Amino acid sequence: MKDFKALATERYSVRKFDTKPVEQKKVDAILAVARLAPTAHNYQPQRLLVLNTADSLNKLKDCTNGHFNAPLAIIVCYDNQVSWKREYDDADLGTVDASIVGSHIMFQVADMGLGTTWIAHFDPAKVRTAYNLPDTIIPVAIFPIGYPHPDCVPTPGHTKRFELTSLVKYNSFD
């Protein structure tokens, strides 16, 4: 197990996968870590749809070009009847909760020597129809998962990061 900073530094968006299937033991480990993700008021609105059959993975190709022929995918959703709503502006924190779950998934995947990428470019209506999502289940992100293809490498701009001075302010934005 790597320390967190090394893991965060080394992981990258995998967009080319080997055909080797992901072992159920690893799928279970990913789901166990996703379950541990913190959520607003601990309401745990996350709902995970695991795609591990040829039929379900094929349907994904109609929803996004970000499937990358991975042997496994997880669609991270939330239930908007369960998610916490902030009282001041009624903001639904379900998307935030699902995003935290997605981050947990990404780092667990990388820690096990697998790869994934965060897919937000998908048609929610097609996902809803293809997988019979109830009206209260909101898809947030898709994670194609698998063993990186041997010739898969990070994109050229992967390591480019803004300086902290561009990203961080102390005490005020003045």
Side-chain angles (χ1 to χ4, degrees), residues 5 12 32 34 46 52 61 68 73-74 83 93 98 111 113 118 126-127 140 142 146 150:
K5 185 175 180 190
Y12 66 95
Q46 70 268 33
N52 64 356
K61 294 176 181 179
F68 305 112
I74 298 175
S83 57
L93 277 287
D111 194 47
W118 187 300
K126 287 184 178 180
V127 168
V140 174
I142 300 171

Side-chain angles (χ1 to χ4, degrees), residues 7-151:
L7 185 61
T9 301
E10 294 172 18
R11 72 136 295 279
Y12 66 95
S13 295
V14 173
R15 294 181 178 93
K16 187 173 185 181
F17 295 94
D18 193 272
T19 57
K20 179 181 176 181
V22 177
E23 300 87 346
Q24 188 61 46
K25 179 179 174 182
K26 290 188 176 184
V27 175
D28 293 343
I30 294 165
L31 297 174
V33 167
R35 181 176 161 260
L36 296 174
T39 60
H41 284 263
N42 197 30
Y43 283 7
Q44 302 177 47
Q46 70 268 33
R47 302 296 181 260
L48 308 175
L49 182 60
V50 178
L51 310 179
N52 64 356
T53 66
D55 182 52
S56 65
L57 290 164
N58 232 11
K59 288 181 192 177
L60 191 58
K61 294 176 181 179
D62 292 330
C63 303
T64 181
N65 62 358
H67 54 81
F68 305 112
N69 296 308
L72 173 73
I74 298 175
I75 302 175
V76 177
C77 308
Y78 74 94
D79 185 332
N80 68 10
Q81 287 186 319
V82 176
S83 57
W84 183 68
K85 311 320 181 265
R86 184 169 48 208
E87 64 188 72
Y88 301 102
D89 59 1
D90 205 34
D92 188 333
L93 277 287
T95 301
V96 173
D97 292 340
S99 297
I100 295 168
V101 170
S103 293
H104 276 57
I105 288 171
M106 289 186 82
F107 287 117
Q108 179 63 33
V109 163
D111 194 47
M112 293 188 302
L114 299 169
T116 190
T117 188
W118 187 300
I119 303 299
H121 187 263
F122 64 89
D123 184 330
K126 287 184 178 180
V127 168
R128 184 170 299 290
T129 300
Y131 301 105
N132 301 313
L133 271 60
D135 291 342
T136 63
I137 303 299
I138 312 302
V140 174
I142 300 171
F143 296 90
I145 300 169
Y147 288 91
H149 191 276
D151 64 5

